[in-house]
Amino acid sequence: MAKVIEGLYYSESHEFVRVEGDFGFIGITDYAQNALGNVVYVDMPDVDDEVTAGEEFGAVESVKAASDLFSPVSGTVVEVNEALDDQPELINQDAFENWIIKVELSDKAELDNLMDAQAYAAFCEK
């Protein structure tokens, strides 16, 4: 069973959001990194780019496949995890610690459309 962390928000496309104040840290879940296998490259947007809930913002490439990343929330990118440029495998080591982008949330109500840990765990078991 993949690790699921309480207090985060989860999307059906296996991204998570950790909310701190007006900011959301977005990454892929443990379930997603497990399914992908060894991550070799992370394609990230630029700082100041806008992301929109449900729309693509980048991609993760592994030795097995490439997978598009879909933003669970809307906002402005304020930071990208530059460590992933040189060490994309950090996502395999701890997907939840190694977020991909940090966004300033433009509409916190969008969080209501995402799953909590319990719902996401049940979703992954299907």
Side-chain angles (χ1 to χ4, degrees), residues 26 44-58 69-80 101-107 110:
I26 299 171
M44 298 177 272
D46 295 320
V47 170
D48 292 333
D49 282 1
E50 297 288 325
V51 294
T52 304
E55 293 191 10
E56 190 184 324
F57 73 85
L69 296 168
F70 295 93
S71 187
V73 291
S74 301
T76 304
V77 178
V78 292
E79 191 177 341
V80 297
I101 59 173
K102 177 182 176 182
V103 299
E104 185 168 3
L105 302 170
S106 59
D107 183 3
E110 290 176 339

Side-chain angles (χ1 to χ4, degrees), residues 4-63:
V4 177
I5 296 181
E6 290 288 336
L8 303 182
Y9 297 89
Y10 297 89
S11 69
E12 289 187 2
S13 53
H14 303 288
E15 287 87 14
F16 72 85
V17 183
R18 182 179 80 232
V19 176
E20 293 181 7
D22 293 330
F23 299 96
F25 293 83
I26 299 171
I28 65 170
T29 64
D30 190 54
Y31 179 93
Q33 74 78 21
N34 218 17
L36 278 168
N38 294 333
V39 174
V40 295
Y41 178 71
V42 182
D43 180 35
M44 298 177 272
D46 295 320
V47 170
D48 292 333
D49 282 1
E50 297 288 325
V51 294
T52 304
E55 293 191 10
E56 190 184 324
F57 73 85
V60 173
E61 292 177 24
S62 72
V63 290

